[in-house]
Amino acid sequence: MTQKKMAIIATKGTLDWAYPPLILSSTAAALGYEVQVFCTFYGLSLLRKDLSGIRISPLANPAMPMPVPMPVLVQVLPGMEAMATMMMKNKMKAKGVASLDELRSLCLEADVKFIACQMTVDLFEFKPEEFIDGIEFGGATTFLDFAGSADIQLYI
Amino acid sequence: MTQKKMAIIATKGTLDWAYPPLILSSTAAALGYEVQVFCTFYGLSLLRKDLSGIRISPLANPAMPMPVPMPVLVQVLPGMEAMATMMMKNKMKAKGVASLDELRSLCLEADVKFIACQMTVDLFEFKPEEFIDGIEFGGATTFLDFAGSADIQLYI
Amino acid sequence: MTQKKMAIIATKGTLDWAYPPLILSSTAAALGYEVQVFCTFYGLSLLRKDLSGIRISPLANPAMPMPVPMPVLVQVLPGMEAMATMMMKNKMKAKGVASLDELRSLCLEADVKFIACQMTVDLFEFKPEEFIDGIEFGGATTFLDFAGSADIQLYI
């Protein structure tokens, strides 16, 4: 039986949307999949050594469960983004959800391959020395080469 | 000929993004597909018995067609989210677009399987008794088991 | 060897999310793929003759790299969306990133097929005469017909 493959494009860099690529990749790798995660646009944040700057915004997402209903006019006040981020992190910790760092380590140990999109690294002036070791750099061709024969492709 | 399969991850809970998983699933089921929808993060909203709380936000989406151009500073005012939601629902009704309830019923009648992500149910403290009957609970492994042999996988 | 196929659903209409479908489609077409892009919801913006109205919002995206950190309360001020759009376009030009117009032309020359979602054209009252020539109109069935036998499917 040939090894299954999963190709992910990770394009978001907020606390909520940083989780799905890492959860799916670490789980798929544990199930024996070969996994590649192509990080582009804000998804490059997933490759930073220091993940502590990843935040969440309650804005424009009326579906986000909030402990206290909060009008949009309050959500835009200074400090609310930091507060929402802290609340979400505390809740995750209390519920035993692994941190982004822990999930990414699981991925790296399981040989998930992370690829940084060279075009958006240049565009957003990300500094490659801020990235973790062991990643590759590539473009849409790099993604398609793998995705074209993968069993699962997801754009996150 | 073997039955085609479609696997969807539904992660959003706003009025606009609640539609694509339900439209695609009901259509695919009508075409004879076996369909599974894995609901996680804000996508758990799709499983609530009462869908009337699903709203839309004009914020951060300059591509949303608005009857009257509206500065961001007005969009954040109290009541604007409710107004945008009402306007969108009225327009959908006027144009004969099925409601979320109707589309979900079509899905259920056609044996689309809905799976609630146990981790986010716990994290966001959704109450399972608020969910419709007949759904299952699972994790990333549940999704991958089906998606790995599906013909179509979409992350919405 | 049979020709590879890629099916994309393009649902977003902001400057950042207009790029991925056009970059992936033009690249895939150059690699010999048959490509279909189903444009629905705000993704219909990609089909407008005039793409100059496509904008970007810094709101609700704390992961967007900003030259100067800017509190949310400033981001909602009049003119900030226009300023963010102008800054992003200038940066793209300075970095040699192709414009949306150029990428779409590449796609059209390479026979990428664009399909407008008839339901959302009606719902949002897009005027078909504002769209480029050579596109088709269809629904979820049109998408699934192609996607069901495609090698890559992405919901953007």
Side-chain angles (χ1 to χ4, degrees), chain A residues 9 11-14 41-42 55 57 59-60 76 78 81 119 122-125 140-141 143-144 147-149 153 155, chain C residues 4 16-17 20 23-24 27-28 33 59-65 72-73 88 91-92 95 151-153 155-156:
Chain A
I9 315 189
T11 67
K12 311 291 190 303
T14 51
F41 283 84
Y42 320 115
R55 288 173 290 163
S57 169
L59 275 179
V76 300
E81 203 169 81
M119 188 198 86
D122 293 344
L123 177 64
F124 290 147
E125 297 171 353
T141 307
F143 169 74
L144 292 168
S149 63
Q153 305 94 17
Y155 176 100
Chain C
K4 291 259 185 190
D16 36 6
W17 303 135
I23 290 176
L24 288 165
T27 308
Y33 275 71
L59 275 179
N61 185 7
M64 187 181 295
V72 174
L73 210 51
M88 181 65 81
K91 193 176 250 193
M92 284 175 160
K95 298 287 182 181
D151 301 273
I152 300 180
Q153 306 93 17
Y155 177 100
I156 297 182

Side-chain angles (χ1 to χ4, degrees), chain C residues 46-127:
Chain C
L46 295 183
L47 301 180
R48 281 219 174 99
K49 279 175 199 151
D50 180 5
L51 294 173
S52 67
I54 291 186
R55 288 173 291 163
I56 196 169
S57 170
L59 275 179
N61 185 7
M64 187 181 295
M66 305 281 276
V68 182
M70 200 184 283
V72 174
L73 210 51
V74 173
Q75 292 173 14
V76 299
L77 291 181
M80 292 313 290
E81 203 169 81
M83 200 184 92
T85 302
M86 197 195 66
M87 281 169 50
M88 181 65 81
K89 283 189 180 173
N90 285 346
K91 193 176 250 193
M92 284 175 160
K93 208 168 176 181
K95 298 287 182 181
V97 175
S99 70
L100 293 176
D101 268 306
E102 289 165 340
L103 286 170
R104 189 174 63 181
S105 295
L106 279 178
C107 289
L108 291 168
E109 281 161 26
D111 290 324
V112 170
K113 190 191 276 186
F114 289 95
I115 298 151
C117 171
Q118 186 68 57
M119 189 198 85
T120 39
V121 168
D122 294 344
L123 177 63
F124 290 146
E125 297 171 353
F126 273 81
K127 298 193 186 65

Side-chain angles (χ1 to χ4, degrees), chain C residues 35 59 84 102 113 129 133 150 154:
Chain C
V35 182
L59 275 179
E102 289 165 340
K113 190 191 276 186
E129 64 267 25
D133 294 331
L154 300 169

